[in-house]
Amino acid sequence: MQFNANTKMAEVIHVNYLLLPILNRFDIQLGFGDKTISEICAEQKINVDFFLEIINSFHDYNYFPQDRLQSFPLDLIIEYILKSHYYYINIKVPLIETTIITLSTSSDKLQNKYVQLIVKFFQEYKEELINHITDEEIRVYPYMLSVDKALRSGNIGKELVEKVKKNPIRIIESEHTNIEDKLFDLKNIIIKYLPPATNYSLSNTLLIELFRLEQDLNDHARIEDKVLVPKVEMLENQILQKL
Amino acid sequence: MNLKKTIICVKSPIIYRGIAYCIHSIQPGIELEHYNNIDKLLKDDNHEDKLFILDINLLPDPAFYFLERMFVNFQDLTLIALSERFLSDKLAVYFRGSILITDSEEIVKNKLKNIIDTGKEINRTNRKNSAISEREQEVLRLVAFGFTNKQISDQLYISTHTVITHRKNISSKLGIKTIAGLTVYAIINGIISPDEML
């Protein structure tokens, strides 16, 4: 099913609780009562169309209105992505870290030898994820926003034109590291190869958290690759045509 | 394992000296003995803290049948194969590892060190169940050490194209793509020891 403006917000969560962190990214808190999506969005001054496309595409992987998503303002999309970054780094990663450490302290000596490999692996992954995100926030998004701003103000600087010509978004993106493969490997190692932990419910918790993070990151990557990058490419072309 | 003695079962005294040299450079002063035929190995029934290195040319035909019968009596035997080529999967299950005649000094030392360090934690059943072949394990070891495809091809005397094919097969069999992930797999399965990674 697809959610629409008249769907009650409580129903959204009943249908798919994995959307909870997505709602938080729009500063929507629990305690909805019987309010509909459009009512809550109006209260919180949220672009309801954008909100609907984001939750619907996360909820149903086959629903992905690429053109429509690209039609939203760039700063709106980037703001959503920045909130997702905050969630990964400040909430999700620490939660997974704590789970792995608890798993380690509740393991016997032999098992812990293997859990330590996971500790180290995830530590490395965390560093990569932080580097990836920092690079986007410091280098990539400011560039994207400067392209957008120049077009809207009509004030297209020489320096920006050089960047568009020499280092367009396609090139920037191709230099960008892949953060999905390592997470998938970690999951598969735990599922297939790690000797089973004595505390199996903790292993389950860890795996479930990894699956959730992966799903969120995949959705995130899809918005970047299929919405953000093509949109900025389009803006870059508009700049080049104006010369 | 708490290695006390190594028995090298090989005809050639020169090869015996070579392996003895490698063992002594990783474990100086360890007791060594040279058996130049298989009968002596069969009579030796005290296997505790001993490592047996066996030239597979000394095995009577069919080798796997002989080994199977030997392991019925000697379940605690830690056996390393010495051979001219990679062992077939059928034979590999009986050995804790294998040394190739063409291996460089460094590789021989690394392999021996790995087996001595990990000892018997990994038993034969594990190797039997290993998802990848002996040859792929060789490639995986070197990948985990961070060698490039070119370096791996030089060390194993195969083309870089073959290295790439092995790597693709390893990744698709295991469902692990990244080097970090492959390294964790290799450690869990005793293909490398964590100490080697330092």
XYZ file of all heavy atoms in Angstrom, chain A residues 38-130:
795
model
N -1.164 14.969 6.596
C -1.208 16.378 6.170
C -1.354 17.320 7.364
O -0.748 18.393 7.385
C -2.313 16.609 5.137
O -3.571 16.570 5.756
N -2.093 16.895 8.373
C -2.245 17.746 9.561
C -0.905 17.930 10.289
O -0.524 19.055 10.634
C -3.272 17.132 10.525
C -4.709 17.340 10.082
C -5.697 16.450 10.833
O -5.279 15.478 11.506
O -6.906 16.727 10.732
N -0.218 16.804 10.484
C 1.056 16.898 11.210
C 2.082 17.700 10.403
O 2.810 18.533 10.948
C 1.577 15.482 11.568
C 0.679 14.932 12.692
C 3.037 15.526 12.022
C 1.101 13.609 13.238
N 2.115 17.481 9.092
C 3.064 18.222 8.253
C 2.775 19.720 8.284
O 3.700 20.533 8.315
C 3.038 17.707 6.815
S 3.866 16.110 6.639
N 1.494 20.061 8.309
C 1.132 21.482 8.359
C 1.611 22.103 9.669
O 2.210 23.180 9.681
C -0.375 21.642 8.208
N 1.382 21.370 10.785
C 1.825 21.861 12.096
C 3.325 22.097 12.130
O 3.812 23.074 12.671
C 1.496 20.810 13.177
C 0.107 20.897 13.723
C -0.167 19.742 14.694
O 0.804 19.106 15.166
O -1.352 19.479 14.972
N 4.061 21.137 11.584
C 5.521 21.173 11.680
C 6.169 21.914 10.500
O 7.385 21.933 10.382
C 6.083 19.743 11.718
C 5.559 18.887 12.840
C 6.297 19.151 14.132
O 7.433 19.615 14.137
N 5.645 18.901 15.251
N 5.358 22.476 9.617
C 5.848 23.171 8.413
C 6.760 22.263 7.577
O 7.868 22.631 7.187
C 6.579 24.461 8.791
C 5.683 25.429 9.554
C 6.329 26.787 9.682
C 5.381 27.803 10.270
N 4.833 27.395 11.595
N 6.252 21.055 7.341
C 6.996 20.091 6.523
C 6.350 20.042 5.140
O 5.116 20.055 5.032
C 6.935 18.682 7.172
C 7.638 18.686 8.534
C 7.554 17.620 6.262
C 7.303 17.498 9.399
N 7.163 19.965 4.102
C 6.664 19.797 2.742
C 6.021 18.409 2.633
O 6.709 17.390 2.603
C 7.837 19.936 1.759
C 7.401 19.809 0.313
O 6.480 19.067 -0.016
N 8.084 20.545 -0.551
N 4.692 18.378 2.601
C 3.982 17.105 2.703
C 4.245 16.189 1.502
O 4.348 14.961 1.649
C 2.459 17.328 2.964
C 1.820 18.060 1.809
C 1.741 16.011 3.233
N 4.372 16.770 0.326
C 4.637 15.944 -0.863
C 5.991 15.244 -0.749
O 6.126 14.063 -1.051
C 4.615 16.808 -2.137
C 3.231 17.373 -2.386
O 2.252 16.658 -2.065
O 3.120 18.515 -2.878
N 6.968 16.016 -0.307
C 8.305 15.450 -0.143
C 8.287 14.335 0.910
O 8.810 13.243 0.713
C 9.294 16.560 0.243
C 10.716 16.090 0.400
C 11.412 15.578 -0.687
C 11.372 16.156 1.627
C 12.732 15.145 -0.557
C 12.689 15.721 1.768
C 13.355 15.214 0.667
N 7.629 14.625 2.034
C 7.521 13.641 3.111
C 6.906 12.336 2.600
O 7.405 11.237 2.854
C 6.684 14.220 4.261
C 6.436 13.246 5.380
C 7.425 12.983 6.319
C 5.220 12.566 5.484
C 7.202 12.073 7.352
C 4.992 11.655 6.508
C 5.990 11.409 7.441
N 5.826 12.470 1.828
C 5.140 11.275 1.319
C 6.040 10.467 0.374
O 6.082 9.237 0.453
C 3.851 11.679 0.596
C 2.663 11.989 1.510
C 1.525 12.614 0.716
C 2.180 10.714 2.222
N 6.741 11.165 -0.513
C 7.602 10.423 -1.449
C 8.727 9.705 -0.702
O 9.079 8.585 -1.041
C 8.207 11.356 -2.511
C 7.198 12.052 -3.419
C 6.286 11.117 -4.214
O 6.393 9.887 -4.058
O 5.454 11.637 -4.986
N 9.264 10.369 0.321
C 10.350 9.741 1.088
C 9.853 8.503 1.835
O 10.458 7.434 1.741
C 10.973 10.758 2.096
C 11.751 11.858 1.349
C 11.893 10.054 3.107
C 13.036 11.408 0.689
N 8.736 8.611 2.540
C 8.291 7.429 3.298
C 7.786 6.333 2.356
O 8.016 5.153 2.596
C 7.267 7.732 4.428
C 5.983 8.334 3.873
C 7.858 8.592 5.514
C 4.845 8.294 4.910
N 7.130 6.703 1.270
C 6.629 5.665 0.360
C 7.762 4.916 -0.332
O 7.691 3.704 -0.504
C 5.678 6.267 -0.678
C 4.272 6.448 -0.100
O 3.797 5.604 0.665
N 3.637 7.558 -0.436
N 8.819 5.639 -0.707
C 9.909 4.943 -1.398
C 10.727 4.096 -0.426
O 11.276 3.071 -0.803
C 10.801 5.919 -2.171
O 11.374 6.851 -1.296
N 10.782 4.511 0.839
C 11.473 3.680 1.836
C 10.638 2.433 2.148
O 11.155 1.325 2.269
C 11.701 4.476 3.133
C 12.588 3.757 4.124
C 13.954 4.000 4.161
C 12.052 2.843 5.030
C 14.775 3.338 5.069
C 12.873 2.171 5.937
C 14.241 2.423 5.950
N 9.320 2.642 2.231
C 8.408 1.552 2.595
C 8.320 0.488 1.501
O 8.367 -0.709 1.773
C 7.023 2.145 2.878
C 5.961 1.122 3.073
N 6.016 0.195 4.084
C 4.811 0.860 2.373
C 4.943 -0.586 4.005
N 4.217 -0.215 2.975
N 8.246 0.928 0.268
C 8.103 -0.013 -0.849
C 9.262 0.210 -1.820
O 9.302 1.203 -2.537
C 6.751 0.229 -1.538
C 6.598 -0.631 -2.788
O 7.490 -1.468 -3.057
O 5.583 -0.463 -3.489
N 10.186 -0.750 -1.814
C 11.410 -0.563 -2.598
C 11.118 -0.384 -4.087
O 11.861 0.280 -4.805
C 12.365 -1.750 -2.383
C 13.762 -1.450 -2.855
C 14.627 -0.695 -2.067
C 14.192 -1.885 -4.108
C 15.895 -0.378 -2.504
C 15.470 -1.564 -4.557
C 16.313 -0.821 -3.743
O 17.574 -0.504 -4.184
N 10.015 -0.952 -4.554
C 9.715 -0.852 -5.986
C 9.094 0.480 -6.369
O 8.965 0.800 -7.549
C 8.768 -1.981 -6.411
C 9.446 -3.314 -6.234
O 10.613 -3.478 -6.564
N 8.719 -4.267 -5.673
N 8.678 1.220 -5.345
C 8.108 2.535 -5.630
C 9.222 3.564 -5.550
O 9.765 3.823 -4.480
C 7.007 2.858 -4.602
C 6.449 4.252 -4.752
C 5.490 4.539 -5.720
C 6.896 5.294 -3.944
C 4.993 5.818 -5.879
C 6.412 6.586 -4.089
C 5.455 6.832 -5.061
O 4.978 8.105 -5.220
N 9.622 4.087 -6.686
C 10.672 5.096 -6.647
C 10.465 6.129 -7.765
O 10.966 5.975 -8.871
C 12.056 4.438 -6.778
C 13.177 5.356 -6.358
C 13.338 5.713 -5.025
C 14.046 5.868 -7.296
C 14.357 6.572 -4.636
C 15.082 6.732 -6.909
C 15.231 7.078 -5.575
N 9.659 7.180 -7.468
C 9.342 8.178 -8.494
C 10.526 9.132 -8.689
O 10.547 10.233 -8.142
C 8.141 8.908 -7.897
C 8.331 8.794 -6.417
C 9.097 7.545 -6.153
N 11.497 8.654 -9.477
C 12.758 9.384 -9.617
C 12.556 10.845 -10.079
O 13.106 11.766 -9.478
C 13.635 8.646 -10.622
C 15.084 9.066 -10.554
C 15.967 8.152 -11.405
O 15.549 7.046 -11.772
N 17.149 8.606 -11.721
N 11.746 11.043 -11.123
C 11.545 12.397 -11.666
C 10.911 13.317 -10.627
O 11.302 14.460 -10.467
C 10.647 12.346 -12.905
C 11.363 11.655 -14.054
O 12.609 11.497 -13.945
O 10.694 11.252 -15.010
N 9.908 12.749 -9.950
C 9.204 13.557 -8.965
C 10.142 13.935 -7.806
O 10.157 15.076 -7.358
C 8.019 12.747 -8.441
C 6.994 13.635 -7.814
C 5.663 12.977 -7.652
N 5.012 13.510 -6.465
C 4.628 14.767 -6.333
N 4.818 15.632 -7.300
N 4.051 15.183 -5.211
N 10.943 12.977 -7.356
C 11.892 13.273 -6.277
C 12.900 14.338 -6.715
O 13.258 15.234 -5.961
C 12.615 11.997 -5.837
C 11.823 11.095 -4.875
C 12.405 9.699 -4.820
C 11.767 11.692 -3.464
N 13.322 14.235 -7.981
C 14.284 15.223 -8.493
C 13.686 16.625 -8.580
O 14.411 17.608 -8.626
C 14.784 14.808 -9.884
C 15.881 13.758 -9.826
C 16.348 13.370 -11.218
O 16.301 14.174 -12.142
N 16.791 12.143 -11.363
N 12.352 16.698 -8.622
C 11.728 18.013 -8.785
C 11.720 18.827 -7.481
O 11.452 20.021 -7.499
C 10.300 17.842 -9.307
O 9.492 17.324 -8.267
N 12.028 18.197 -6.348
C 12.043 18.955 -5.092
C 13.295 19.827 -4.997
O 14.330 19.498 -5.584
C 11.974 18.003 -3.890
C 10.661 17.303 -3.768
C 10.539 15.956 -4.077
C 9.519 18.012 -3.379
C 9.315 15.307 -3.982
C 8.292 17.372 -3.290
C 8.187 16.018 -3.595
N 13.196 20.940 -4.250
C 14.363 21.831 -4.127
C 15.580 21.090 -3.553
O 15.429 20.233 -2.675
C 13.904 22.910 -3.147
C 12.429 22.829 -3.117
C 12.040 21.445 -3.508
N 16.752 21.444 -4.052
C 17.990 20.773 -3.652
C 18.230 20.854 -2.140
O 18.613 19.869 -1.507
C 19.164 21.396 -4.417
C 20.482 20.650 -4.312
C 20.421 19.348 -5.087
C 21.625 21.500 -4.824
N 18.004 22.054 -1.572
C 18.304 22.193 -0.141
C 17.390 21.332 0.729
O 17.796 20.859 1.793
C 18.287 23.665 0.308
C 17.068 24.412 -0.191
O 16.238 23.776 -0.871
O 16.946 25.605 0.097
N 16.188 21.068 0.243
C 15.255 20.208 0.968
C 15.779 18.771 1.011
O 15.787 18.106 2.054
C 13.892 20.245 0.276
C 12.704 19.639 1.006
C 12.410 20.404 2.280
C 11.480 19.607 0.102
N 16.262 18.297 -0.144
C 16.793 16.934 -0.224
C 18.044 16.811 0.645
O 18.207 15.851 1.401
C 17.129 16.553 -1.687
C 15.908 16.782 -2.589
C 17.598 15.106 -1.781
C 16.207 16.663 -4.073
N 18.919 17.811 0.541
C 20.177 17.744 1.303
C 19.909 17.806 2.807
O 20.540 17.101 3.589
C 21.163 18.842 0.841
C 21.666 18.476 -0.561
C 22.339 18.988 1.816
C 22.688 19.424 -1.143
N 18.937 18.607 3.190
C 18.611 18.699 4.614
C 18.185 17.331 5.151
O 18.606 16.904 6.234
C 17.485 19.719 4.826
C 17.313 20.107 6.290
C 15.987 20.799 6.553
O 15.445 21.420 5.614
O 15.497 20.690 7.687
N 17.381 16.629 4.348
C 16.951 15.287 4.759
C 18.158 14.357 4.881
O 18.284 13.584 5.836
C 15.935 14.725 3.748
C 15.637 13.267 3.989
C 14.837 12.869 5.060
C 16.183 12.276 3.175
C 14.594 11.535 5.317
C 15.943 10.932 3.417
C 15.147 10.566 4.489
O 14.919 9.238 4.744
N 19.054 14.441 3.920
C 20.236 13.568 3.933
C 21.138 13.862 5.126
O 21.660 12.952 5.772
C 20.986 13.699 2.589
C 20.171 12.947 1.528
C 22.403 13.176 2.676
C 20.854 12.726 0.246
N 21.294 15.137 5.458
C 22.125 15.496 6.615
C 21.537 14.932 7.915
O 22.258 14.445 8.777
C 22.257 17.016 6.730
C 23.104 17.708 5.656
C 23.094 19.217 5.850
C 24.536 17.184 5.669
N 20.213 14.948 7.993
C 19.565 14.380 9.187
C 19.800 12.879 9.258
O 19.964 12.313 10.330
C 18.054 14.682 9.147
C 17.741 16.154 9.379
C 17.018 16.340 10.706
C 16.908 17.788 11.108
N 15.645 18.416 10.687
N 19.818 12.233 8.077
C 20.094 10.788 8.055
C 21.512 10.537 8.540
O 21.755 9.611 9.319
C 19.971 10.212 6.644
O 18.822 10.673 6.013
N 22.451 11.352 8.079
C 23.846 11.203 8.515
C 23.943 11.270 10.029
O 24.623 10.472 10.661
C 24.715 12.332 7.927
C 25.014 12.143 6.484
N 25.688 13.074 5.745
C 24.756 11.126 5.631
C 25.810 12.645 4.509
N 25.249 11.465 4.409
N 23.266 12.254 10.596
C 23.296 12.437 12.044
C 22.821 11.152 12.730
O 23.415 10.677 13.690
C 22.404 13.618 12.449
C 22.413 13.860 13.938
C 23.392 14.674 14.514
C 21.472 13.251 14.769
C 23.421 14.877 15.883
C 21.500 13.445 16.139
C 22.475 14.251 16.696
O 22.510 14.439 18.046
N 21.734 10.601 12.192
C 21.166 9.377 12.762
C 22.164 8.214 12.691
O 22.355 7.478 13.663
C 19.877 9.043 12.009
C 19.269 7.709 12.362
C 18.579 7.531 13.556
C 19.366 6.631 11.484
C 18.015 6.311 13.873
C 18.803 5.410 11.794
C 18.129 5.253 12.994
O 17.577 4.033 13.295
N 22.844 8.049 11.551
C 23.809 6.941 11.429
C 24.941 7.079 12.446
O 25.267 6.142 13.167
C 24.442 6.888 10.023
C 23.453 6.767 8.904
C 23.656 7.423 7.687
C 22.296 6.015 9.046
C 22.742 7.326 6.660
C 21.373 5.915 8.020
C 21.601 6.574 6.827
O 20.696 6.490 5.823
N 25.527 8.262 12.468
C 26.738 8.456 13.267
C 26.457 8.555 14.770
O 27.193 8.014 15.578
C 27.497 9.738 12.808
C 27.892 9.610 11.346
C 28.721 10.006 13.677
C 28.867 8.501 11.044
N 25.389 9.246 15.113
C 25.172 9.511 16.537
C 24.229 8.541 17.231
O 24.189 8.486 18.453
C 24.662 10.940 16.740
C 25.719 11.943 16.338
O 26.751 12.041 16.972
N 25.478 12.636 15.237
N 23.445 7.807 16.457
C 22.498 6.894 17.091
C 22.776 5.441 16.709
O 23.021 4.596 17.552
C 21.045 7.300 16.763
C 20.784 8.690 17.354
C 20.057 6.276 17.328
C 19.511 9.338 16.948
N 22.765 5.175 15.415
C 22.857 3.784 14.960
C 24.227 3.149 15.238
O 24.297 2.058 15.800
C 22.564 3.747 13.456
C 21.927 2.471 13.014
C 20.510 2.390 13.523
C 19.962 1.009 13.270
N 18.668 0.833 13.917
N 25.284 3.828 14.827
C 26.622 3.246 15.005
C 26.947 3.018 16.490
O 27.376 1.924 16.854
C 27.696 4.092 14.281
C 29.096 3.722 14.739
C 27.575 3.900 12.774
N 26.698 4.002 17.379
C 26.962 3.729 18.804
C 26.139 2.554 19.344
O 26.634 1.770 20.148
C 26.557 5.033 19.501
C 26.666 6.074 18.448
C 26.310 5.407 17.160
N 24.900 2.412 18.861
C 24.049 1.314 19.316
C 24.669 -0.030 18.910
O 24.738 -0.971 19.714
C 22.652 1.462 18.698
C 21.633 0.376 19.055
C 21.269 0.441 20.518
C 20.377 0.517 18.200
N 25.127 -0.119 17.675
C 25.741 -1.362 17.201
C 27.054 -1.627 17.957
O 27.325 -2.752 18.378
C 25.973 -1.302 15.675
C 24.625 -1.284 14.950
C 26.816 -2.487 15.199
C 24.703 -1.049 13.468
N 27.817 -0.572 18.168
C 29.074 -0.711 18.917
C 28.820 -1.284 20.306
O 29.503 -2.209 20.739
C 29.714 0.674 19.078
C 30.876 0.885 18.156
C 31.461 2.281 18.304
O 30.736 3.205 18.750
O 32.628 2.442 17.960
N 27.831 -0.712 21.005
C 27.517 -1.183 22.353
C 27.108 -2.654 22.315
O 27.507 -3.439 23.175
C 26.352 -0.352 22.950
O 26.611 1.020 22.681
C 26.232 -0.557 24.433
N 26.314 -3.018 21.312
C 25.867 -4.409 21.211
C 27.054 -5.348 21.026
O 27.133 -6.401 21.656
C 24.882 -4.571 20.034
O 23.916 -3.538 20.082
C 24.180 -5.917 20.105
N 28.004 -4.954 20.162
C 29.170 -5.817 19.925
C 29.999 -5.935 21.209
O 30.462 -7.019 21.560
C 30.054 -5.277 18.777
C 29.261 -5.251 17.463
C 31.299 -6.150 18.596
C 30.033 -4.670 16.290
N 30.146 -4.831 21.936
C 30.948 -4.878 23.163
C 30.266 -5.757 24.215
O 30.916 -6.551 24.883
C 31.242 -3.449 23.677
C 32.277 -2.814 22.732
C 31.769 -3.459 25.108
C 32.431 -1.335 22.854
N 28.941 -5.643 24.332
C 28.223 -6.512 25.272
C 28.399 -7.973 24.868
O 28.585 -8.852 25.712
C 26.713 -6.169 25.303
O 26.564 -4.761 25.279
C 26.061 -6.724 26.547
N 28.345 -8.219 23.573
C 28.536 -9.590 23.075
C 29.915 -10.098 23.469
O 30.082 -11.237 23.885
C 28.376 -9.607 21.553
C 28.305 -10.973 20.883
C 27.050 -11.704 21.312
C 28.325 -10.841 19.368
N 30.892 -9.220 23.362
C 32.262 -9.602 23.701
C 32.397 -9.907 25.190
O 32.989 -10.915 25.567
C 33.215 -8.475 23.279
O 34.399 -8.525 24.005
N 31.833 -9.052 26.048
C 31.997 -9.270 27.495
C 31.211 -10.481 27.966
O 31.548 -11.069 28.982
C 31.585 -8.033 28.312
O 30.282 -7.618 27.878
C 32.547 -6.880 28.138
N 30.164 -10.865 27.242
C 29.390 -12.033 27.693
C 29.861 -13.322 27.023
O 29.235 -14.359 27.156
C 27.895 -11.811 27.426
O 27.657 -11.813 26.047
N 30.978 -13.252 26.266
C 31.478 -14.460 25.597
C 32.569 -15.120 26.438
O 33.232 -14.462 27.223
C 32.093 -14.109 24.246
O 31.166 -13.503 23.420
N 32.739 -16.440 26.221
C 33.867 -17.097 26.879
C 35.143 -16.741 26.121
O 35.107 -16.072 25.092
C 33.659 -18.604 26.987
C 33.468 -19.247 25.628
O 34.049 -18.754 24.644
O 32.724 -20.236 25.539
N 36.272 -17.233 26.621
C 37.558 -16.783 26.110
C 37.750 -17.099 24.621
O 38.169 -16.244 23.838
C 38.677 -17.439 26.933
C 39.924 -16.583 27.008
C 40.942 -17.211 27.943
C 42.332 -16.793 27.536
N 43.348 -17.717 28.022
N 37.406 -18.331 24.258
C 37.602 -18.742 22.867
C 36.696 -17.954 21.924
O 37.132 -17.427 20.895
C 37.338 -20.251 22.718
C 37.563 -20.802 21.313
C 39.044 -20.756 20.957
C 37.056 -22.237 21.204
N 35.419 -17.844 22.314
C 34.458 -17.110 21.494
C 34.885 -15.651 21.364
O 34.801 -15.061 20.293
C 33.071 -17.219 22.151
C 32.001 -16.363 21.511
C 31.655 -16.815 20.101
O 31.806 -17.987 19.782
N 31.230 -15.891 19.263
N 35.377 -15.090 22.469
C 35.745 -13.680 22.471
C 36.862 -13.388 21.471
O 36.939 -12.309 20.899
C 36.154 -13.243 23.878
C 36.283 -11.744 23.971
O 35.613 -11.014 23.231
N 37.145 -11.277 24.852
N 37.715 -14.384 21.248
C 38.789 -14.229 20.265
C 38.186 -13.865 18.893
O 38.703 -13.022 18.180
C 39.545 -15.571 20.164
C 40.998 -15.435 19.804
C 41.705 -16.766 19.899
C 41.557 -17.571 18.632
N 42.143 -18.906 18.707
N 37.067 -14.518 18.582
C 36.403 -14.247 17.303
C 35.620 -12.939 17.343
O 35.597 -12.181 16.375
C 35.485 -15.407 16.925
C 36.237 -16.707 16.727
C 36.018 -17.800 17.548
C 37.184 -16.816 15.708
C 36.717 -18.984 17.370
C 37.886 -17.999 15.528
C 37.653 -19.076 16.359
O 38.348 -20.225 16.173
N 34.964 -12.691 18.492
C 34.186 -11.453 18.597
C 35.117 -10.242 18.451
O 34.743 -9.228 17.869
C 33.392 -11.401 19.926
C 32.635 -10.089 20.052
C 32.406 -12.562 20.003
N 36.358 -10.394 18.948
C 37.322 -9.288 18.810
C 37.560 -8.936 17.341
O 37.817 -7.785 16.994
C 38.655 -9.646 19.480
C 38.624 -9.528 20.999
C 38.088 -8.194 21.482
O 38.475 -7.136 21.000
N 37.135 -8.222 22.407
N 37.496 -9.947 16.465
C 37.647 -9.680 15.033
C 36.517 -8.784 14.536
O 36.711 -7.888 13.718
C 37.633 -10.992 14.225
C 38.747 -12.002 14.485
C 38.461 -13.291 13.736
C 40.080 -11.430 14.052
N 35.318 -9.043 15.076
C 34.145 -8.242 14.699
C 34.291 -6.824 15.251
O 33.974 -5.848 14.582
C 32.852 -8.916 15.230
C 32.738 -10.339 14.685
C 31.615 -8.102 14.887
C 32.627 -10.448 13.198
N 34.785 -6.736 16.500
C 35.004 -5.417 17.112
C 35.914 -4.593 16.201
O 35.608 -3.444 15.853
C 35.665 -5.556 18.510
C 36.087 -4.199 19.056
C 34.712 -6.242 19.488
N 37.023 -5.199 15.776
C 38.011 -4.501 14.966
C 37.426 -4.145 13.582
O 37.592 -3.036 13.095
C 39.256 -5.383 14.800
C 40.427 -4.685 14.177
C 41.716 -5.471 14.408
C 42.801 -4.982 13.485
N 42.855 -5.707 12.199
N 36.727 -5.108 13.025
C 36.120 -4.900 11.710
C 35.144 -3.721 11.750
O 35.164 -2.833 10.904
C 35.384 -6.176 11.294
C 34.899 -6.173 9.867
C 35.625 -6.820 8.888
C 33.721 -5.542 9.508
C 35.194 -6.835 7.571
C 33.282 -5.545 8.196
C 34.022 -6.200 7.229
N 34.296 -3.700 12.778
C 33.293 -2.641 12.843
C 33.941 -1.281 13.131
O 33.493 -0.254 12.626
C 32.214 -2.952 13.895
C 31.036 -2.026 13.781
C 30.153 -2.142 12.730
C 30.843 -1.004 14.696
C 29.089 -1.269 12.573
C 29.777 -0.117 14.563
C 28.901 -0.253 13.500
N 35.028 -1.315 13.922
C 35.759 -0.083 14.197
C 36.254 0.535 12.874
O 36.114 1.729 12.642
C 36.945 -0.415 15.113
C 37.485 0.769 15.890
C 36.419 1.441 16.726
O 35.569 0.770 17.309
N 36.421 2.772 16.773
N 36.826 -0.322 12.035
C 37.321 0.147 10.730
C 36.177 0.661 9.864
O 36.294 1.671 9.183
C 38.019 -1.004 9.978
C 39.424 -1.274 10.459
C 40.002 -2.525 9.797
O 39.532 -2.916 8.699
O 40.901 -3.117 10.397
N 35.057 -0.078 9.934
C 33.901 0.328 9.136
C 33.408 1.702 9.577
O 33.105 2.557 8.759
C 32.776 -0.699 9.262
C 31.550 -0.268 8.514
C 31.537 -0.293 7.120
C 30.444 0.243 9.169
C 30.448 0.151 6.416
C 29.340 0.695 8.471
C 29.353 0.636 7.092
O 28.278 1.102 6.388
N 33.360 1.886 10.889
C 32.892 3.161 11.452
C 33.760 4.310 10.941
O 33.245 5.351 10.522
C 32.950 3.082 12.978
C 32.529 4.342 13.692
C 32.764 4.182 15.182
C 32.819 5.522 15.872
N 33.170 5.367 17.294
N 35.087 4.096 10.956
C 35.989 5.147 10.464
C 35.725 5.467 9.000
O 35.670 6.633 8.599
C 37.446 4.725 10.651
C 37.941 4.991 12.061
C 39.243 4.269 12.374
O 40.057 4.076 11.445
O 39.436 3.893 13.543
N 35.526 4.417 8.213
C 35.235 4.636 6.788
C 33.934 5.398 6.588
O 33.845 6.299 5.757
C 35.142 3.300 6.052
C 36.463 2.867 5.458
C 36.377 1.509 4.789
O 35.375 1.253 4.084
O 37.299 0.709 4.982
N 32.933 5.007 7.368
C 31.627 5.662 7.253
C 31.740 7.144 7.614
O 31.219 8.019 6.914
C 30.611 4.956 8.161
C 29.176 5.464 8.112
C 28.553 5.168 6.753
C 28.321 4.820 9.199
N 32.466 7.426 8.692
C 32.629 8.818 9.116
C 33.393 9.613 8.044
O 32.994 10.720 7.685
C 33.335 8.899 10.493
C 32.380 8.377 11.573
C 33.775 10.328 10.814
C 32.976 8.296 12.962
